[in-house]
Amino acid sequence: MAQPSQARALDGKVALITGASRGIGAAAAKRLAAGGASVVINYYQNQEAAEKVLEDVERAGSRGLIFQADVRRKEQIEHMVIATEQKLGPIDVLVNNAYFPFEVGQLHDLSWESFYRAVEHEISAFFFCVSACLPAMKARNAGRIIVISTRLAQQPLAKMGAYAAAKSALESMADTMAIELGPLGVAVNVVTPAFTLTDASMIMPEAYRERVKETRPLKKHLYPEDVAGAIAFLAGDEASMVTGSHILITGGSHLQL
């Protein structure tokens, strides 16, 4: 059983997690709440799922709230951040996790509009979220920004090029922000999971899922809870000197050709 100091390492922190009604976002909300953080569960459509995550947050003894917002819309993000500050306090931790659907197909077959949309959605959401959260972080000379990426940004697959390009751009933005925001007391890091078993990923054939598992040295499936552990680490004091880092959660598959 964890000692109280370990279990509540995030006491007093306020975390905003975008796309937190399911998958990695939901797992992160529960993990940060277990560490003592107050958690804002942002969602786009599934209010019922967000409410269930909130129940788990409160069951962990932490405060939380759900907030519907399209994080591609600047005014909606600003409204969410203001509401958070009024109800829970200024945001200490931003977890940029929201998922945006994209067209699957070979790059040369995609329309420019489809490709551009995939990239624009990803980077605009990150840009607007950081812009809204940063003033309070700057005022306190402290903050953590955690970007959830994908292994596809470094190890692309055919027909996933639009998503890979979008996440690559996101990682480049995060690296630049780590340099620029470091003097302001704000750390920016990237968590890069490989193929993770979520509700969304279950559309992939079982044979594919099993093949992925067998390519990993650890011979295990990757679950959202595995990614949430890295997020909690980056949000806590143990990571006070970690910025500009990319943490790979792959089960060792990144070592394979």
Side-chain angles (χ1 to χ4, degrees):
M1 186 174 182
Q3 297 299 317
S5 60
Q6 295 173 316
R8 309 299 289 184
L10 299 175
D11 271 336
K13 302 292 185 182
V14 176
L16 166 61
I17 306 173
T18 65
S21 64
R22 63 178 185 173
I24 291 171
K30 298 170 189 177
R31 185 64 176 268
L32 295 185
S38 299
V39 180
V40 182
I41 302 150
N42 162 253
Y43 71 98
Y44 181 48
Q45 291 179 313
N46 198 334
Q47 180 176 342
E48 182 178 357
E51 289 174 345
K52 290 180 179 178
V53 177
L54 177 59
E55 290 174 3
D56 288 330
V57 166
E58 294 176 337
R59 194 175 296 117
S62 292
R63 295 190 299 163
L65 61 89
I66 64 172
F67 206 103
Q68 193 280 331
D70 181 346
V71 292
R72 296 165 295 185
R73 301 287 298 275
K74 181 176 183 287
E75 67 280 5
Q76 292 188 28
I77 297 168
E78 291 175 344
H79 181 51
M80 177 169 59
V81 170
I82 291 171
T84 297
E85 292 175 345
Q86 292 173 342
K87 296 179 181 179
L88 298 177
I91 294 167
D92 300 284
V93 181
L94 167 64
V95 181
N96 189 84
N97 170 75
Y99 169 80
F100 306 102
F102 60 95
E103 183 177 349
V104 176
Q106 297 184 87
L107 283 175
H108 60 272
D109 289 332
L110 299 181
S111 68
W112 169 251
E113 290 75 19
S114 177
F115 177 80
Y116 176 79
R117 185 164 54 247
V119 176
E120 193 271 338
H121 286 178
E122 202 74 53
I123 63 177
S124 65
F126 182 47
F127 185 90
F128 292 143
C129 284
V130 171
S131 296
C133 294
L134 191 57
M137 292 181 178
K138 288 171 59 178
R140 289 171 290 120
N141 196 41
R144 303 291 171 85
I145 297 171
I146 303 167
V147 175
I148 310 304
S149 187
T150 171
R151 184 65 184 144
L152 292 173
Q154 299 83 34
Q155 197 174 45
L157 292 175
K159 300 184 179 181
M160 302 289 282
Y163 187 55
K167 287 296 191 180
S168 294
L170 189 67
E171 291 189 7
S172 181
M173 288 176 66
D175 289 343
T176 303
M177 286 185 181
I179 296 171
E180 295 174 344
L181 300 184
L184 304 178
V186 179
V188 186
N189 292 288
V190 178
V191 175
T192 304
F195 180 78
T196 306
L197 289 187
T198 64
D199 292 343
S201 69
M202 292 304 285
I203 63 172
M204 299 300 288
E206 183 178 358
Y208 174 82
R209 288 180 262 137
E210 289 302 312
R211 187 167 69 251
V212 168
K213 183 185 77 171
E214 290 305 313
T215 64
R216 295 173 176 156
L218 289 181
K219 305 297 182 183
K220 295 179 181 179
H221 286 304
L222 180 61
Y223 295 96
E225 291 75 16
D226 300 314
V227 184
I231 295 170
F233 165 71
L234 291 172
D237 291 341
E238 295 87 349
S240 61
M241 280 297 290
V242 180
T243 195
S245 292
H246 293 232
I247 298 182
L248 299 179
I249 315 294
T250 70
S253 62
H254 66 282
L255 299 172
Q256 308 292 346
L257 293 177

